[in-house]
Amino acid sequence: MTDVDTPLTKVLGGNTAKALATHLDLHTAGDLLYHFPRRYDERGDHTDMRSLEVGEDVTVMAQVRVSNKRKIRNGSDEMLEVTVGDDMGGQLMLTYFGRRQTWRERELRPGRWGLFAGKVTEFRGKRQLNSPQYVLLSDEGEASEEIEEFAGALIPVYPAAAKVPTWTIARCVRVVLDAATMPEDPLPGGVRAHGGLVDLATALREIHRPSSKEDLYRARRRLKWDEAFAVQLTLVQRKHRAASWPARPRRQREGGLLAAFDATLPYELTDGQRTVGGEIARDLATAHPMHRLLQGEVGSGKTLVAVRAMLQVVDAGGQAAMLAPTEVLAAQHYRGIAELLGPLGRAGELDSADGATRVALVTGSLGAAARRRALEEIATGQAGIVVGTHALLYEGVDFADLGLVVVDEQHRFGVEQRDALRAKGEQPPHVLVMTATPIPRTVAMTVYGDLEVSTLSQLPRGRSPIASHVVPAADKPAFLERAWQRIREEVAAGHQAYVVCPRIGDTSSDEDAPVETDDNGKRPPVAVLDVAPLLSDGPLHGLRLGVLHGKLPADEKDTVMRAFAGGKIDVLVATTVVEVGVNVPNATVMVVLDAERFGVSQLHQLRGRVGRGSAPGLCLLVTEAPEGTPARERLDAVASTTDGFRLAEIDLEQRREGDVLGATQSGRRSHLRLLSLLHDTKLINEARMEAISLVEEDPELERHPALAASVAALVDEERAEYLEKG
């Protein structure tokens, strides 16, 4: 009896099973059934070869156009060159080396269609596959047995490996489909009926061997639903359980620090800040821990909202901790909060206000005496507000009564680090997660579905617009010269500028270089340590330049930032260490070099460092990417809009989605094989509504054991924990 748990060795034999396990991590019949095709080719509808990228492992359907055999190496060996093409003008060269190629020349004669699998390389400007595997799609008598796998009109193309091509996978799938007993359908009948979903057995058969496009659509929809439903059930269950956890209410107090702080503000809160502040205040006053995501555009005033929440907790006798991703940002938050509070944050000092608290800073580079003093203030409760980096997570940092954790730019922390801080409270503290990277609704629903979401979209009065332009340095070098002139003009007008580079230039550790680099023969990305002297001796000669990057000692970083904030530096040449939180209102222009090396969200964050005062901001994206390339299109998109939510969708589309269940942090492959957060909005929303309804009736799914087991298989304990901690 074969079922989904049967090892493939018992179904396919040892050698084939070993190849699937070694190269594709497939071990059981169920693993193979859930190894879905990447796409489907149709006879007469073929792959666009012009879109293939060098280095990519591909399987293409193409027709042999030309076959040419010639002698090489003094005539002892032969090389067969075969040109294959598609219906869209694309061509690939196939090359085979070795003696006696006559048999292959007979097979690969002009006019034959086939599937060809290999790695794309380039030789003398032409794309080619070296010794690719192939199967010919023909009904002529000599056709190989694998062709039987492609008897239908829709030809599945699987994620494959060099040693296990797509047609081998298709043959193995057919064996398993013929032999295996399909699993029990875990979806309750009512849910299936509401969603108009086919049963699981039908879906698994049709996704591998579709009878028609309509049947394939129904199969994919059912299997996408399973993925969405499993994630949403997990999140809704977590949210349901969290509602019963105890937490200490932190209610607003009349005449307290928050009221005094509001009275000293030199400007009015925006309508958005008032609304979101009210939501947070109500959450803090409940006997269950708040778990809220605060997202907002760059400069929308999230930090002020967080400070008001922290003061409410301090008024109620508790402490609040703000966790920042870098020492630069932690120090900036510390100074900014201390400045905002003024005498309200200087308890014990001569000019302190009545009922004041203290603000403490904890970073890894604090001197011993300053660290001892900060830890004592935290342990005794004197410091009502604590700002720090990862150093807050270490042993020895003990809070008297931790009531609120504010996590700034949460995507910079691992879930374990965030949870370690949360565990420092006697009871679960309230948690506020802030991000300035706007999150498309389906991502928020799928990744943060157990958090309440608040959004700030309105900019405070006095914030200036930011204009963004792409500077095509290779095509129009005069535009780059003009960029340097613009910096000189802004400095002459009394303003300051940033120049951002992808690398530090210290080859031993370029930890803050972005992921999006391209090593296909291109020069390395420009580096801060190389660019700064070139600018100082060249187009920015005579201006006061400073250098900032992540490998500088903490006190030096702080000195540079203070000098820039104080107007003693005209131009700051930096890495992405300035990406978040850095606030210098007098900085009006930013030049981003090798801008194509950065992601969309990162560029949006970076340009948010200018235009923070009353003067308009200007962001110049310098690139050598040719017009029409994906990199250039990405930059054009950033330049065309300041709508962070639209840019987040573009970013999601271009970067692909990764594993929303944590594999992006752990390095494992995605467990959401079919679901697209970008394109399946409606389905995800339907799944969430069904999940809420089901959990309200049966919180632990006790009446649906098959469904509970299915959810556990997709969202295992580790991933469920990731979702909970997120």
Side-chain angles (χ1 to χ4, degrees):
M1 186 72 152
T2 300
D3 60 24
V4 291
D5 296 320
T6 302
L8 287 173
T9 49
K10 295 187 176 180
V11 189
L12 303 173
N15 289 339
T16 303
K18 183 179 179 183
L20 290 169
T22 303
H23 299 290
L24 295 170
D25 196 24
L26 304 174
H27 304 275
T28 67
D31 288 344
L32 188 56
L33 288 178
Y34 277 87
H35 186 72
F36 301 137
R38 174 182 285 136
R39 68 173 199 276
Y40 300 82
D41 278 340
E42 218 177 336
R43 295 179 192 278
D45 180 18
H46 311 297
T47 309
D48 182 359
M49 290 186 195
R50 294 169 301 180
S51 67
L52 301 180
E53 294 186 10
V54 173
E56 190 180 6
D57 284 301
V58 299
T59 300
V60 298
M61 184 187 286
Q63 186 182 41
V64 178
R65 299 288 168 81
V66 180
S67 182
N68 179 41
K69 184 179 69 177
R70 58 190 175 89
K71 297 285 187 181
I72 58 172
R73 294 177 189 163
N74 299 323
S76 60
D77 280 345
E78 295 176 341
M79 180 175 77
L80 180 66
E81 293 180 323
V82 180
T83 303
V84 299
D86 58 23
D87 294 337
M88 300 172 222
Q91 286 194 341
L92 272 176
M93 177 75 76
L94 316 181
T95 55
Y96 295 94
F97 297 91
R99 297 179 182 179
R100 294 184 290 280
Q101 295 286 343
T102 305
W103 66 274
R104 202 188 303 272
E105 185 183 21
R106 263 199 316 272
E107 278 196 343
L108 297 174
R109 62 180 183 271
R112 298 288 300 273
W113 282 96
L115 288 169
F116 302 90
K119 179 171 283 191
V120 180
T121 60
E122 195 167 59
F123 182 67
R124 292 179 179 171
K126 293 184 178 179
R127 289 180 182 177
Q128 62 180 29
L129 304 179
N130 289 321
S131 302
Q133 299 187 61
Y134 62 88
V135 57
L136 296 172
L137 304 181
S138 169
D139 53 9
E140 301 173 22
E142 75 239 44
S144 63
E145 106 183 49
E146 282 90 348
I147 295 170
E148 295 174 22
E149 307 310 322
F150 308 114
L154 293 170
I155 299 173
V157 180
Y158 289 89
K163 299 288 176 79
V164 192
T166 182
W167 46 87
T168 299
I169 298 169
R171 176 166 49 80
C172 294
V173 167
R174 182 174 62 125
V175 171
V176 170
L177 283 173
D178 291 344
T181 301
M182 287 295 170
E184 175 190 353
D185 195 328
L187 268 193
V191 174
R192 249 193 355 256
H194 291 164
L197 303 168
V198 299
D199 63 89
L200 181 59
T202 298
L204 287 173
R205 289 186 187 282
E206 291 291 343
I207 197 163
H208 291 290
R209 300 178 70 81
S211 309
S212 66
K213 286 184 178 179
E214 292 74 20
D215 289 333
L216 174 59
Y217 170 79
R218 284 191 282 269
R220 285 176 60 84
R221 186 171 185 276
R222 164 59 204 265
L223 294 165
K224 283 182 180 183
W225 176 277
D226 286 355
E227 293 177 356
F229 198 45
V231 172
Q232 294 304 329
L233 274 172
T234 302
L235 290 166
V236 172
Q237 281 182 308
R238 297 287 176 185
K239 196 169 184 178
H240 189 273
R241 290 171 195 149
S244 63
W245 293 348
R248 193 167 297 165
R250 311 289 180 170
R251 298 184 181 89
Q252 283 185 315
R253 179 164 65 86
E254 285 188 23
L257 282 173
L258 176 55
F261 175 73
D262 284 348
T264 63
L265 278 178
Y267 44 78
E268 286 186 25
L269 298 174
T270 65
D271 292 340
Q273 287 173 321
R274 284 197 196 88
T275 301
V276 169
E279 292 169 349
I280 293 170
R282 286 189 292 276
D283 283 356
L284 292 173
T286 65
H288 307 290
M290 174 179 74
H291 208 188
R292 184 171 286 276
L293 173 71
L294 173 58
Q295 63 174 350
E297 286 286 11
V298 175
S300 57
K302 294 180 300 298
T303 303
L304 181 61
V305 170
V307 168
R308 295 183 73 250
M310 291 191 282
L311 290 175
Q312 179 172 330
V313 170
V314 174
D315 276 343
Q319 292 167 289
M322 176 178 276
L323 191 60
T326 65
E327 290 202 351
V328 168
L329 187 52
Q332 173 128 349
H333 275 315
Y334 169 71
R335 287 196 298 272
I337 291 171
E339 189 177 319
L340 274 173
L341 293 180
L344 297 172
R346 295 199 285 265
E349 298 181 29
L350 289 175
D351 64 343
S352 68
D354 291 340
T357 188
R358 291 194 65 77
V359 184
L361 174 67
V362 178
T363 63
S365 61
L366 271 186
R371 180 177 175 80
R372 272 196 307 273
R373 185 166 62 250
L375 294 184
E376 184 180 344
E377 290 178 353
I378 296 167
T380 60
Q382 284 177 279
I385 294 176
V386 183
V387 181
T389 58
H390 302 76
L392 283 181
L393 307 172
Y394 303 149
E395 283 187 30
V397 183
D398 299 311
F399 290 82
D401 181 10
L402 182 59
L404 171 65
V405 174
V406 179
V407 183
D408 190 20
E409 294 302 326
Q410 63 82 221
H411 63 281
R412 295 292 192 92
F413 289 96
V415 290
E416 294 82 5
Q417 294 165 322
R418 297 200 299 273
D419 199 51
L421 182 57
R422 194 162 56 180
K424 287 181 175 284
E426 289 182 17
Q427 289 182 304
H430 301 280
V431 176
L432 179 65
V433 174
M434 298 197 303
T435 177
T437 305
I439 300 165
R441 183 171 173 273
T442 44
V443 179
M445 199 191 309
T446 305
V447 183
Y448 302 104
D450 56 342
L451 278 70
E452 300 297 334
V453 180
S454 294
T455 302
L456 283 174
S457 55
Q458 182 184 3
L459 295 181
R461 290 189 189 90
R463 288 301 301 266
S464 299
I466 304 171
S468 301
H469 302 283
V470 176
V471 177
D475 305 340
K476 299 178 179 176
F479 282 29
L480 181 57
E481 292 176 22
R482 177 65 185 134
W484 304 129
Q485 287 175 10
R486 286 292 293 117
I487 286 182
R488 298 192 75 94
E489 289 166 6
E490 288 297 312
V491 172
H495 299 303
Q496 294 162 276
Y498 297 95
V499 175
V500 178
C501 305
R503 287 193 310 135
I504 297 171
D506 170 9
T507 54
S508 65
S509 177
D510 271 342
E511 84 290 347
D512 46 9
V515 177
E516 303 193 17
T517 57
D518 184 351
D519 298 321
N520 280 337
K522 292 184 180 179
R523 62 163 174 75
V526 297
V528 166
L529 298 181
D530 299 329
V531 166
L534 290 174
L535 292 178
S536 182
D537 295 338
L540 302 186
H541 179 66
L543 302 186
R544 298 170 298 173
L545 268 63
V547 168
L548 185 68
H549 57 75
K551 297 302 288 181
L552 285 175
D555 56 347
E556 198 172 329
K557 281 188 282 193
D558 194 51
T559 300
V560 172
M561 274 311 303
R562 283 177 180 273
F564 188 58
K568 296 175 182 175
I569 291 174
D570 298 319
V571 182
L572 187 63
V573 184
T575 60
T576 54
V577 73
V578 299
E579 179 188 346
V580 291
V582 174
N583 183 29
V584 180
N586 193 46
T588 55
V589 61
M590 172 178 284
V591 173
V592 183
L593 297 177
D594 282 349
E596 75 278 3
R597 309 275 183 163
F598 299 86
V600 170
S601 294
Q602 201 167 31
L603 290 171
H604 185 54
Q605 285 277 359
L606 283 167
R607 72 174 164 194
R609 300 309 106 208
V610 296
R612 300 180 76 85
S614 56
L618 175 65
C619 180
L620 301 174
L621 307 172
V622 179
T623 181
E624 294 180 359
E627 207 165 350
T629 60
R632 183 66 173 273
E633 288 171 0
R634 189 167 68 241
L635 296 182
D636 289 340
V638 173
S640 69
T641 180
T642 54
D643 181 346
F645 287 91
R646 174 67 195 122
L647 290 173
E649 288 182 352
I650 293 169
D651 196 27
L652 185 66
E653 198 162 33
Q654 293 201 344
R655 281 189 301 109
R656 300 179 185 171
E657 295 166 10
D659 188 343
V660 299
L661 302 185
T664 47
Q665 291 198 21
S666 68
R668 293 192 203 84
R669 66 183 181 184
S670 173
H671 270 56
L672 297 186
R673 297 170 174 88
L674 296 175
L675 191 70
S676 165
L677 304 185
L678 196 62
H679 302 298
D680 294 320
T681 310
K682 185 170 181 285
L683 185 144
I684 291 170
N685 192 52
E686 289 171 0
R688 184 163 183 82
M689 294 303 100
E690 289 286 358
I692 290 170
S693 176
L694 194 62
V695 169
E696 283 175 354
E697 295 174 8
D698 185 8
E700 299 302 323
L701 303 182
E702 293 173 353
R703 298 199 296 275
H704 302 92
L707 179 60
S710 171
V711 170
L714 179 70
V715 187
D716 61 26
E717 193 55 40
E718 184 178 340
R719 287 179 174 79
E721 193 175 321
Y722 172 87
L723 289 168
E724 181 182 81
K725 291 177 182 177

